[in-house]
Amino acid sequence: MTLHPPGTRIGLLGGGQLARMLTLAGTAMGFHFTVLDPTPDCPAALAGALPLTAAYDDPDALQTLAATCPVVTYEFENVPAATVEWLERETSVPQGSALLQTCQHRLREKNALQALGVPVTPFAAVASAADLHAFVSEHGPTMLKTATGGYDGKGQVRVEATAAVEDAFAQLGASGRELIAEKIFPFQTEASVMVARNAAGALACYPVGENFHEKNILTFTRIPAKIPPETRTRAEQIARQVAEGVSLVGLLGVELFVGADGSLVVNELAPRPHNSGHWTQDAAATCQFEQHLRAIAGWPLGRPDALAPAVMLNVLGEHLPSLLAALPQLPSDAHVHLYGKPEARTGRKMGHVNLVLPEASPPVDVLTALQIWSPEALDLLLHS
């Protein structure tokens, strides 16, 4: 296992908020960063990474990145797999292109999970309305999704019954993209586990987080998850099983659905730091961004323990003005992280707030600050 010492320049494919927070964490570790991103003044560049402004498949930019960075990492899944394959031949990309190719494609991902013996909801490839009709007839309410490119609820349609098949297929199938049908799992809550592994095979698993979404965008993650201890243990076991099975090097987010009976199915994987792991910045012994860098740089992994109960609240574009106005009322254990994006659009992730709590539920003195988010999210957070 190669150890990359402080002073190493690390290449970042993608310059969004995750790359920004990798840069901030890694600068404290002594690393330097170059970010390849087509957007000038991307969040990572504003945090101090040397900008390389070009398309992800620009040959000159890739030559520069490979020549100057002994190790490269990607911050999201939508970088071209061919780019990562080329970089693997020229420099070290510990995450590798194989895991990226798997996680870029829902069918490949579900097949890989099934091959590992990991529980998933029934699924099938869909090439026609007839395929979808047959799946819905057998399995009932179904989620039809594009196999590639979807995120935050984009590229998917809920199909309740066979009568809705034609309309659903017309919405997504007209583009000619590959589709996947997934039986809707009647979950009670959603959970996620962040797991790290280095090239020597050492594993570190963070506590299970409980997630709440609105309009398919994560609103908050709560630590510890309010699920039975045996369910938390099983979720961590599944995350470790996946990490070992895919020969992970780096950080992996494993998203799960939790049934009312405690049953679990894996929904999807994220082969990098993840929104639901942001709480680790202020409430864990080692934050997820430092952990990812430790793993890809060949360092010993840090302790993943939670130091206190915590809640991570996403700040979307519509929340930002209210958050800034409420800053004087925020409790002392609220930590604000903003991403430096210039335009605050509705639904755009602009930052997050980590609340480090003296007990598992937010105390009354944070209620004013929490009014920034929806009454539904607030009620669930305080009373579930």
Side-chain angles (χ1 to χ4, degrees):
M1 181 174 70
T2 302
L3 189 148
H4 298 280
T8 300
R9 180 165 293 277
I10 298 176
L12 301 169
L13 287 173
Q17 63 261 25
L18 299 179
R20 176 187 178 89
M21 289 181 276
L22 284 167
T23 299
L24 293 171
T27 298
M29 300 166 71
F31 293 124
H32 306 292
F33 293 88
T34 296
V35 57
L36 174 57
D37 192 284
T39 305
D41 295 328
C42 62
L46 294 175
L50 181 68
L52 194 55
T53 306
Y56 294 123
D57 58 357
D58 183 278
D60 293 334
L62 292 176
Q63 288 281 2
T64 299
L65 197 69
T68 58
C69 298
V71 61
V72 174
T73 184
Y74 45 81
E75 65 130 17
F76 73 135
E77 291 91 298
N78 289 333
V79 295
T83 289
V84 179
E85 288 177 352
W86 185 89
L87 284 167
E88 280 182 299
R89 295 191 293 269
E90 303 296 324
T91 188
S92 173
V93 188
Q95 290 155 290
S97 60
L99 181 58
L100 178 67
Q101 289 175 327
T102 296
C103 294
Q104 282 181 335
H105 195 281
R106 286 191 172 101
L107 273 165
R108 287 199 292 265
E109 184 175 83
K110 284 291 194 294
N111 282 319
L113 290 167
Q114 194 171 63
L116 291 173
V118 171
V120 294
T121 194
F123 67 95
V126 170
S128 66
D131 289 344
L132 180 59
H133 192 283
F135 187 88
V136 175
S137 296
E138 180 179 357
H139 295 290
T142 293
M143 195 66 74
L144 180 67
K145 302 177 181 180
T146 57
T148 60
Y151 66 97
D152 287 346
K154 296 177 176 63
Q156 61 185 47
V157 178
R158 189 181 178 100
V159 187
E160 292 288 351
T162 53
V165 161
E166 295 292 339
D167 284 346
F169 187 81
Q171 284 187 57
L172 295 185
S175 64
R177 297 171 69 180
E178 289 183 85
L179 303 177
I180 179 174
E182 299 176 2
K183 175 181 172 63
I184 292 176
F185 181 79
F187 62 89
Q188 186 177 51
T189 192
E190 297 182 45
S192 58
V193 185
M194 302 305 301
V195 59
R197 182 177 180 273
N198 65 19
L203 277 167
C205 195
Y206 286 94
V208 181
E210 185 179 5
N211 304 322
F212 174 69
H213 293 76
E214 289 185 305
K215 299 179 181 177
N216 295 303
I217 300 175
L218 183 65
T219 299
F220 72 76
T221 296
R222 172 168 54 196
I223 298 291
K226 291 190 176 181
I227 57 179
E230 59 273 18
T231 305
R232 289 201 297 267
T233 298
R234 176 61 180 144
E236 292 179 9
Q237 289 172 341
I238 289 172
R240 291 172 180 272
Q241 181 181 351
V242 174
E244 292 279 12
V246 300
S247 299
L248 174 70
V249 178
L251 200 66
L252 181 72
V254 181
E255 297 183 26
L256 307 108
F257 293 144
V258 184
D261 60 354
S263 58
L264 294 166
V265 298
V266 176
N267 178 39
E268 62 183 12
L269 306 177
R272 33 78 180 174
H274 191 260
N275 199 173
S276 67
H278 290 348
W279 65 271
T280 62
Q281 290 172 298
D282 300 295
T286 308
C287 89
Q288 66 164 343
F289 301 100
E290 178 182 338
Q291 193 77 290
H292 179 71
L293 293 169
R294 282 173 171 260
I296 65 169
W299 291 25
L301 298 179
R303 286 196 301 115
D305 314 53
L307 302 178
V311 172
M312 186 286 300
L313 287 147
N314 261 335
V315 177
L316 305 181
E318 60 267 35
H319 302 143
L320 189 58
S322 298
L323 172 66
L324 296 178
L327 284 177
Q329 285 77 49
L330 287 179
S332 58
D333 48 11
H335 303 270
V336 177
H337 300 263
L338 297 178
Y339 305 150
K341 296 179 181 179
E343 183 183 359
R345 299 192 301 269
T346 298
R348 190 183 196 192
K349 293 174 184 172
M350 301 299 295
H352 62 274
V353 176
N354 287 332
L355 294 169
V356 183
L357 308 172
E359 54 189 31
S361 296
V364 173
D365 66 356
V366 305
L367 292 182
T368 301
L370 290 174
Q371 296 298 331
I372 295 165
W373 289 271
S374 76
E376 294 79 10
L378 177 62
D379 183 68
L380 186 68
L381 182 59
L382 294 176
H383 300 119
S384 67

